[in-house]
Coordinates of all heavy atoms in Angstrom, one line a residue:
V166 N 254.7 -70.1 -132.3 CA 255.5 -69.4 -133.3 C 255.2 -68.0 -133.2 O 254.1 -67.5 -132.9 CB 255.2 -70.1 -134.6 CG1 253.7 -69.8 -135.1 CG2 256.1 -69.5 -135.7
S167 N 256.2 -67.2 -133.3 CA 256.0 -65.7 -133.3 C 255.3 -65.2 -134.7 O 255.4 -66.0 -135.7 CB 257.3 -64.9 -133.1 OG 258.1 -65.2 -134.3
P168 N 254.4 -64.2 -134.7 CA 253.7 -63.7 -135.8 C 254.8 -63.4 -136.9 O 254.6 -63.6 -138.2 CB 253.1 -62.6 -135.5 CG 252.9 -62.6 -134.0 CD 254.0 -63.5 -133.5
E169 N 256.0 -62.9 -136.6 CA 257.0 -62.5 -137.7 C 257.6 -63.8 -138.3 O 257.7 -63.8 -139.5 CB 258.2 -61.7 -136.9 CG 257.8 -60.4 -136.4 CD 257.1 -60.3 -135.1 OE1 257.1 -61.5 -134.5 OE2 256.4 -59.4 -134.7
V170 N 257.9 -64.8 -137.6 CA 258.3 -66.1 -138.1 C 257.2 -66.7 -139.0 O 257.4 -67.2 -140.2 CB 258.9 -67.1 -137.1 CG1 259.2 -68.4 -137.8 CG2 260.1 -66.4 -136.5
S171 N 255.9 -66.7 -138.5 CA 254.8 -67.2 -139.4 C 254.7 -66.6 -140.6 O 254.6 -67.3 -141.7 CB 253.5 -67.1 -138.6 OG 252.5 -67.3 -139.2
A172 N 254.8 -65.3 -140.6 CA 254.7 -64.4 -141.9 C 256.0 -64.8 -142.8 O 255.7 -64.9 -143.9 CB 254.7 -63.0 -141.6
Q173 N 257.1 -64.8 -142.2 CA 258.2 -65.2 -143.0 C 258.2 -66.6 -143.7 O 258.7 -66.7 -144.8 CB 259.5 -65.1 -142.1 CG 260.9 -65.3 -142.9 CD 262.0 -65.2 -141.8 OE1 261.8 -65.0 -140.7 NE2 263.2 -65.1 -142.5
R174 N 257.7 -67.6 -143.0 CA 257.6 -69.0 -143.5 C 256.4 -69.2 -144.5 O 256.5 -70.0 -145.3 CB 257.4 -69.9 -142.3 CG 258.6 -70.0 -141.4 CD 258.3 -71.0 -140.2 NE 259.3 -71.1 -139.4 CZ 259.4 -71.8 -138.3 NH1 258.1 -72.2 -137.8 NH2 260.4 -71.9 -137.4
N175 N 255.5 -68.2 -144.4 CA 254.4 -68.4 -145.3 C 254.6 -68.3 -146.8 O 255.1 -67.3 -147.4 CB 253.3 -67.4 -145.0 CG 252.0 -67.8 -145.5 OD1 251.8 -68.8 -146.3 ND2 251.0 -67.0 -145.2
N176 N 254.6 -69.4 -147.6 CA 255.0 -69.4 -149.0 C 253.7 -69.7 -149.9 O 253.6 -69.9 -151.0 CB 255.9 -70.4 -149.5 CG 255.6 -71.7 -149.0 OD1 254.5 -72.1 -148.5 ND2 256.5 -72.7 -149.2
K177 N 252.5 -69.5 -149.2 CA 251.1 -69.7 -149.7 C 250.5 -68.3 -150.0 O 250.9 -67.4 -149.4 CB 250.2 -70.5 -149.0 CG 250.8 -72.0 -148.8 CD 249.9 -72.8 -147.9 CE 249.6 -72.2 -146.4 NZ 248.8 -73.2 -145.6
P178 N 249.5 -68.2 -150.8 CA 248.7 -67.0 -151.0 C 248.2 -66.6 -149.6 O 247.7 -67.3 -148.9 CB 247.6 -67.4 -151.9 CG 248.0 -68.6 -152.7 CD 249.0 -69.3 -151.7
L179 N 248.4 -65.3 -149.3 CA 248.0 -64.7 -148.0 C 246.4 -64.9 -147.8 O 245.7 -64.6 -148.8 CB 248.4 -63.2 -148.0 CG 249.9 -63.1 -147.7 CD1 250.1 -61.5 -147.5 CD2 250.6 -63.8 -146.6
Q180 N 246.0 -65.4 -146.6 CA 244.6 -65.3 -146.2 C 244.4 -63.9 -145.6 O 245.2 -63.2 -145.5 CB 244.4 -66.5 -145.3 CG 244.5 -67.8 -146.0 CD 244.2 -68.9 -144.9 OE1 245.1 -69.2 -144.0 NE2 243.1 -69.6 -145.1
L181 N 243.1 -63.7 -145.5 CA 242.6 -62.4 -145.0 C 243.3 -62.1 -143.6 O 243.3 -60.9 -143.2 CB 241.1 -62.3 -144.9 CG 240.3 -62.4 -146.3 CD1 238.9 -62.5 -146.1 CD2 240.8 -61.3 -147.2
H182 N 243.6 -63.0 -142.7 CA 244.1 -62.8 -141.5 C 245.5 -63.0 -141.3 O 246.1 -63.0 -140.2 CB 243.4 -63.8 -140.3 CG 243.6 -65.3 -140.8 ND1 242.7 -66.0 -141.5 CD2 244.7 -66.2 -140.6 CE1 243.2 -67.2 -141.6 NE2 244.3 -67.2 -141.1
D183 N 246.3 -63.0 -142.4 CA 247.7 -63.3 -142.4 C 248.6 -62.1 -142.2 O 249.8 -62.3 -142.3 CB 248.0 -64.1 -143.6 CG 247.8 -65.6 -143.7 OD1 247.6 -66.0 -142.5 OD2 247.8 -66.2 -144.7
K184 N 248.2 -61.0 -142.0 CA 249.1 -59.9 -141.7 C 249.5 -60.0 -140.3 O 248.9 -60.5 -139.5 CB 248.3 -58.5 -142.0 CG 247.8 -58.2 -143.4 CD 247.2 -56.9 -143.5 CE 246.9 -56.6 -144.9 NZ 246.0 -55.2 -145.1
I185 N 250.7 -59.4 -140.0 CA 251.4 -59.6 -138.8 C 250.5 -59.1 -137.7 O 250.4 -59.6 -136.6 CB 252.7 -58.9 -138.8 CG1 253.8 -59.7 -139.7 CG2 253.3 -58.8 -137.4 CD1 255.2 -59.2 -139.7
K186 N 249.8 -58.0 -137.9 CA 248.9 -57.4 -136.9 C 247.7 -58.3 -136.5 O 247.5 -58.5 -135.3 CB 248.4 -56.0 -137.2 CG 247.4 -56.0 -138.4 CD 246.8 -54.7 -138.5 CE 245.8 -54.6 -139.7 NZ 245.3 -53.2 -139.8
H187 N 247.3 -59.1 -137.5 CA 246.2 -60.1 -137.2 C 246.8 -61.4 -136.6 O 246.1 -61.9 -135.7 CB 245.6 -60.4 -138.5 CG 244.8 -59.3 -139.2 ND1 245.0 -59.1 -140.6 CD2 244.2 -58.2 -138.7 CE1 244.3 -57.9 -140.9 NE2 243.8 -57.4 -139.8
L188 N 247.9 -61.8 -137.0 CA 248.6 -63.0 -136.4 C 248.9 -62.6 -134.9 O 248.8 -63.5 -134.1 CB 249.8 -63.4 -137.2 CG 249.6 -63.8 -138.6 CD1 251.0 -64.0 -139.3 CD2 248.9 -65.2 -138.6
S189 N 249.4 -61.4 -134.6 CA 249.6 -61.0 -133.4 C 248.4 -61.0 -132.4 O 248.4 -61.6 -131.3 CB 250.2 -59.6 -133.2 OG 251.6 -59.6 -133.9
R190 N 247.3 -60.6 -132.9 CA 246.0 -60.7 -132.2 C 245.6 -62.2 -132.0 O 245.1 -62.5 -130.9 CB 244.9 -59.9 -133.0 CG 243.6 -59.9 -132.4 CD 243.5 -59.5 -131.0 NE 242.2 -59.5 -130.4 CZ 241.9 -59.3 -129.2 NH1 242.8 -59.4 -128.2 NH2 240.6 -59.5 -128.9
L191 N 245.7 -63.0 -133.0 CA 245.4 -64.4 -132.9 C 246.3 -65.0 -131.9 O 245.7 -65.8 -131.0 CB 245.5 -65.2 -134.2 CG 244.4 -65.0 -135.2 CD1 244.9 -65.6 -136.6 CD2 243.3 -65.6 -134.8
K192 N 247.6 -64.8 -131.8 CA 248.4 -65.4 -130.8 C 247.9 -64.9 -129.4 O 247.8 -65.8 -128.4 CB 249.9 -64.9 -131.0 CG 250.8 -65.5 -130.0 CD 252.2 -65.2 -130.5 CE 253.4 -65.6 -129.6 NZ 253.5 -67.1 -129.6
E193 N 247.5 -63.6 -129.2 CA 246.9 -63.3 -127.9 C 245.8 -64.1 -127.6 O 245.7 -64.5 -126.3 CB 246.7 -61.8 -127.9 CG 247.9 -60.8 -128.0 CD 247.6 -59.5 -128.2 OE1 246.2 -59.2 -128.3 OE2 248.4 -58.6 -128.3
L194 N 244.9 -64.2 -128.4 CA 243.6 -65.0 -128.2 C 243.7 -66.5 -127.9 O 243.3 -66.9 -126.9 CB 242.7 -64.8 -129.4 CG 242.1 -63.4 -129.7 CD1 241.5 -63.4 -131.0 CD2 241.1 -63.0 -128.7
F195 N 244.7 -67.1 -128.7 CA 245.1 -68.6 -128.4 C 245.6 -68.5 -127.0 O 245.2 -69.5 -126.2 CB 246.1 -69.0 -129.3 CG 245.5 -69.7 -130.6 CD1 245.5 -69.1 -131.8 CD2 244.7 -70.9 -130.5 CE1 244.9 -69.6 -133.0 CE2 244.2 -71.4 -131.7 CZ 244.2 -70.9 -132.9
E196 N 246.6 -67.8 -126.6 CA 247.3 -67.8 -125.3 C 246.2 -67.6 -124.3 O 246.2 -68.3 -123.1 CB 248.4 -66.8 -125.2 CG 249.6 -67.4 -126.2 CD 250.8 -66.6 -126.2 OE1 250.6 -65.4 -125.6 OE2 251.7 -66.9 -126.7
A197 N 245.3 -66.7 -124.4 CA 244.2 -66.5 -123.3 C 243.3 -67.7 -123.2 O 243.0 -68.0 -122.2 CB 243.3 -65.2 -123.7
E198 N 242.9 -68.2 -124.4 CA 242.0 -69.5 -124.3 C 242.8 -70.7 -123.7 O 242.1 -71.3 -122.9 CB 241.5 -69.8 -125.7 CG 240.5 -68.8 -126.3 CD 239.2 -68.9 -125.4 OE1 238.8 -69.9 -124.9 OE2 238.6 -67.8 -125.3
L199 N 243.9 -70.8 -124.1 CA 244.7 -72.0 -123.5 C 245.0 -71.7 -121.9 O 245.0 -72.7 -121.1 CB 246.1 -72.2 -124.1 CG 246.0 -72.7 -125.5 CD1 247.3 -72.6 -126.2 CD2 245.2 -73.9 -125.6
L200 N 245.1 -70.5 -121.5 CA 245.2 -70.2 -119.9 C 243.9 -70.6 -119.3 O 243.9 -71.2 -118.2 CB 245.5 -68.6 -119.8 CG 245.6 -68.3 -118.4 CD1 246.8 -69.0 -117.6 CD2 245.9 -66.7 -118.2
L201 N 242.7 -70.3 -119.8 CA 241.4 -70.7 -119.4 C 241.3 -72.3 -119.4 O 240.9 -72.8 -118.4 CB 240.3 -70.2 -120.2 CG 240.1 -68.6 -120.1 CD1 239.0 -68.2 -121.1 CD2 239.7 -68.1 -118.8
A202 N 241.8 -72.8 -120.5 CA 241.8 -74.3 -120.5 C 242.6 -74.9 -119.4 O 242.2 -75.9 -118.8 CB 242.2 -74.8 -121.8
E203 N 243.8 -74.3 -119.1 CA 244.7 -74.8 -118.1 C 244.1 -74.7 -116.7 O 244.2 -75.6 -115.9 CB 245.9 -73.9 -118.2 CG 247.3 -74.8 -117.8 CD 248.5 -74.1 -118.2 OE1 248.5 -72.9 -118.4 OE2 249.6 -74.8 -118.2
R204 N 243.1 -73.6 -116.5 CA 242.5 -73.4 -115.3 C 241.5 -74.5 -115.1 O 241.0 -74.8 -113.9 CB 242.0 -72.1 -115.2 CG 243.0 -71.0 -115.0 CD 242.4 -69.6 -115.0 NE 243.4 -68.5 -115.0 CZ 243.2 -67.3 -115.1 NH1 242.0 -66.8 -115.6 NH2 244.3 -66.4 -114.9
R205 N 241.0 -75.0 -116.2 CA 240.0 -76.1 -116.2 C 240.7 -77.5 -115.8 O 240.0 -78.5 -115.7 CB 239.3 -76.4 -117.6 CG 238.3 -75.3 -118.0 CD 238.0 -75.6 -119.4 NE 236.9 -74.7 -119.8 CZ 235.5 -75.0 -119.8 NH1 235.3 -76.3 -119.4 NH2 234.6 -74.1 -120.1
G206 N 242.0 -77.4 -115.7 CA 242.7 -78.7 -115.5 C 243.2 -79.4 -116.8 O 243.7 -80.6 -116.5
I207 N 243.1 -78.8 -117.9 CA 243.6 -79.5 -119.1 C 245.0 -79.2 -119.4 O 245.5 -78.1 -119.4 CB 242.8 -78.9 -120.4 CG1 241.2 -79.2 -120.3 CG2 243.2 -79.6 -121.6 CD1 240.3 -78.5 -121.2
P208 N 245.9 -80.3 -119.5 CA 247.3 -80.1 -119.7 C 247.6 -79.4 -121.0 O 247.0 -79.7 -122.0 CB 247.9 -81.4 -119.7 CG 246.8 -82.3 -119.1 CD 245.5 -81.6 -119.2
I209 N 248.6 -78.4 -121.0 CA 249.0 -77.7 -122.3 C 250.4 -78.2 -122.5 O 251.4 -77.8 -121.6 CB 248.8 -76.3 -122.1 CG1 247.5 -76.0 -121.5 CG2 249.1 -75.6 -123.4 CD1 246.4 -76.2 -122.4
V210 N 250.7 -78.7 -123.5 CA 252.2 -79.1 -124.0 C 252.6 -77.9 -124.9 O 252.1 -77.8 -126.0 CB 252.3 -80.4 -124.5 CG1 253.8 -80.7 -125.1 CG2 251.8 -81.6 -123.7
R211 N 253.4 -77.2 -124.4 CA 253.9 -76.0 -125.3 C 255.3 -76.3 -125.9 O 256.2 -76.8 -125.3 CB 254.2 -74.8 -124.4 CG 252.9 -74.2 -123.9 CD 252.9 -73.1 -123.0 NE 251.8 -72.3 -122.6 CZ 250.8 -72.7 -121.8 NH1 251.1 -73.7 -121.1 NH2 249.7 -71.9 -121.6
I212 N 255.3 -76.2 -127.3 CA 256.5 -76.4 -128.1 C 256.9 -75.2 -128.9 O 256.1 -74.6 -129.7 CB 256.2 -77.5 -129.0 CG1 255.8 -78.8 -128.2 CG2 257.5 -78.0 -129.9 CD1 255.6 -80.1 -129.0
E213 N 258.1 -74.6 -128.5 CA 258.5 -73.4 -129.2 C 259.0 -73.9 -130.6 O 259.8 -74.7 -130.7 CB 259.6 -72.8 -128.4 CG 260.2 -71.5 -129.0 CD 261.2 -71.8 -130.1 OE1 262.0 -72.7 -129.9 OE2 261.1 -71.0 -131.1
T214 N 258.5 -73.2 -131.7 CA 258.8 -73.6 -133.0 C 259.5 -72.6 -133.8 O 259.9 -72.8 -135.1 CB 257.5 -74.0 -133.8 OG1 256.7 -72.7 -134.0 CG2 256.7 -75.1 -132.9
D215 N 259.8 -71.5 -133.3 CA 260.6 -70.4 -134.0 C 262.0 -70.8 -134.6 O 262.3 -70.5 -135.8 CB 260.7 -69.3 -133.2 CG 259.5 -68.2 -133.2 OD1 258.5 -68.6 -133.9 OD2 259.6 -67.2 -132.6
T216 N 262.7 -71.6 -133.8 CA 264.1 -71.9 -134.1 C 264.3 -73.3 -134.5 O 265.3 -73.8 -134.7 CB 265.0 -71.5 -133.0 OG1 264.6 -72.2 -131.8 CG2 264.9 -69.9 -132.8
K217 N 263.2 -74.2 -134.5 CA 263.4 -75.6 -134.6 C 262.8 -76.0 -136.1 O 261.9 -75.5 -136.5 CB 262.5 -76.4 -133.7 CG 262.9 -76.3 -132.3 CD 262.0 -76.9 -131.3 CE 262.5 -76.8 -129.8 NZ 261.5 -77.4 -128.9
P218 N 263.6 -76.9 -136.8 CA 263.1 -77.5 -138.0 C 261.8 -78.1 -137.8 O 261.5 -78.8 -136.7 CB 264.1 -78.4 -138.6 CG 264.9 -78.7 -137.3 CD 264.8 -77.7 -136.4
L219 N 260.9 -78.2 -138.7 CA 259.5 -78.9 -138.7 C 259.6 -80.3 -138.2 O 258.8 -80.9 -137.4 CB 258.7 -78.7 -139.9 CG 257.4 -79.2 -139.9 CD1 256.5 -78.5 -138.8 CD2 256.6 -78.9 -141.3
E220 N 260.7 -81.0 -138.7 CA 260.9 -82.5 -138.4 C 261.1 -82.6 -136.9 O 260.5 -83.5 -136.3 CB 262.0 -83.1 -139.2 CG 262.2 -84.5 -139.0 CD 263.5 -85.0 -139.8 OE1 264.0 -84.3 -140.5 OE2 263.7 -86.2 -139.7
E221 N 261.8 -81.7 -136.3 CA 262.1 -81.9 -134.9 C 260.8 -81.7 -134.1 O 260.6 -82.3 -133.0 CB 263.3 -80.8 -134.3 CG 263.6 -80.9 -133.0 CD 264.7 -79.9 -132.6 OE1 265.5 -79.5 -133.5 OE2 264.7 -79.6 -131.3
V222 N 260.1 -80.6 -134.5 CA 258.7 -80.3 -133.9 C 257.8 -81.5 -133.9 O 257.3 -81.9 -133.0 CB 258.0 -79.1 -134.5 CG1 256.7 -78.9 -133.9 CG2 258.9 -77.9 -134.4
A223 N 257.7 -82.1 -135.1 CA 256.9 -83.3 -135.4 C 257.4 -84.5 -134.6 O 256.5 -85.2 -133.9 CB 256.9 -83.7 -136.9
N224 N 258.7 -84.7 -134.4 CA 259.2 -85.8 -133.5 C 258.8 -85.4 -131.9 O 258.5 -86.5 -131.2 CB 260.7 -85.9 -133.7 CG 261.0 -86.6 -135.0 OD1 260.2 -87.2 -135.6 ND2 262.2 -86.3 -135.4
E225 N 258.8 -84.3 -131.6 CA 258.5 -83.9 -130.1 C 257.0 -84.3 -129.9 O 256.6 -84.8 -128.8 CB 258.7 -82.4 -129.8 CG 260.1 -82.1 -129.6 CD 260.4 -80.7 -129.1 OE1 259.6 -80.3 -128.2 OE2 261.3 -80.0 -129.5
V226 N 256.1 -83.9 -130.8 CA 254.7 -84.2 -130.7 C 254.6 -85.6 -130.9 O 253.7 -86.3 -130.0 CB 253.8 -83.4 -131.9 CG1 252.5 -83.9 -131.7 CG2 254.0 -81.9 -131.6

Side-chain angles (χ1 to χ4, degrees):
V166 64
S167 67
E169 293 76 17
V170 171
S171 170
Q173 183 182 7
R174 289 177 179 170
N175 193 359
N176 56 8
K177 299 182 295 184
L179 289 182
Q180 294 179 287
L181 295 175
H182 59 263
D183 277 344
K184 292 182 179 178
I185 288 181
K186 66 176 182 178
H187 299 139
L188 293 171
S189 298
R190 175 60 178 159
L191 277 173
K192 186 176 173 69
E193 291 174 2
L194 291 166
F195 269 110
E196 291 177 351
E198 286 299 324
L199 291 176
L200 181 60
L201 292 174
E203 211 163 23
R204 289 173 179 169
R205 288 172 171 264
I207 302 173
I209 314 293
V210 177
R211 290 176 169 82
I212 300 177
E213 185 276 320
T214 68
D215 272 2
T216 59
K217 295 176 182 175
L219 187 56
E220 184 179 1
E221 183 178 340
V222 174
N224 286 337
E225 284 190 43
V226 175

